[in-house]
Amino acid sequence: MKGKKGRFLGLRRGDLLLGAGVLLAGAVLLGGAALFSRRGGQAVLTTPEGERALPLSEAVTLSIQGDNGIPVVIRVEDGAVWFESSGCPDQICVHSGRLTRTGETAACLPAGVLLRVEEGAGGESAPVDAVAG
């Protein structure tokens, strides 16, 4: 029977190398996502009444009456947009946090309100995820 020579916390050297490789790959993926994502220029607010563009450069607070009479407050400030409050029971939209990067979205489904960050008017187009030929 072999002893536990060369083990750290009961793990073999190969286990430690595999764990380090997984951590390194995760760091590279997260770093790449942060490096290549762009700050958005505007948010598109979709409500039961229609769509509206909100420049992220202008501070504004909007009170909206959503579906089923659910009140929603949207706030834009310092290049970010977020659900400040909502009358929905689960508050998932409020916990979505601040949206700043192109492609980020948050929604209050019970109220029928959606926020989507896009490039600003006159900006470059959004990066392409895939091309089908």
Side-chain angles (χ1 to χ4, degrees):
M1 182 187 231
K2 292 184 178 181
K4 295 189 177 188
K5 183 180 177 184
R7 290 190 176 202
F8 177 72
L9 297 175
L11 299 172
R12 291 186 224 134
R13 185 175 19 171
D15 296 335
L16 294 173
L17 289 173
L18 179 63
V22 168
L23 288 175
L24 179 63
V28 167
L29 289 174
L30 288 175
L35 182 65
F36 292 110
S37 65
R38 296 188 201 144
R39 291 190 65 83
Q42 71 178 8
V44 177
L45 172 64
T46 305
T47 67
E49 286 78 38
E51 285 192 355
R52 176 179 174 184
L54 303 172
L56 296 182
S57 59
E58 299 175 15
V60 66
T61 302
L62 300 170
S63 296
I64 300 165
Q65 192 73 18
D67 287 340
N68 304 316
I70 297 174
V72 176
V73 177
I74 304 293
R75 188 156 179 198
V76 179
E77 187 176 296
D78 296 329
V81 61
W82 66 94
F83 284 90
E84 187 164 277
S85 66
S86 175
C88 65
D90 53 14
Q91 300 290 300
I92 292 173
C93 56
V94 175
H95 297 298
S96 295
R98 294 174 175 239
L99 309 176
T100 60
R101 302 270 180 198
T102 300
E104 290 182 328
T105 61
C108 182
L109 296 179
V113 178
L114 172 73
L115 282 174
R116 181 178 69 249
V117 178
E118 295 182 345
E119 288 290 326
E124 297 176 16
S125 60
V128 176
D129 288 335
V131 176

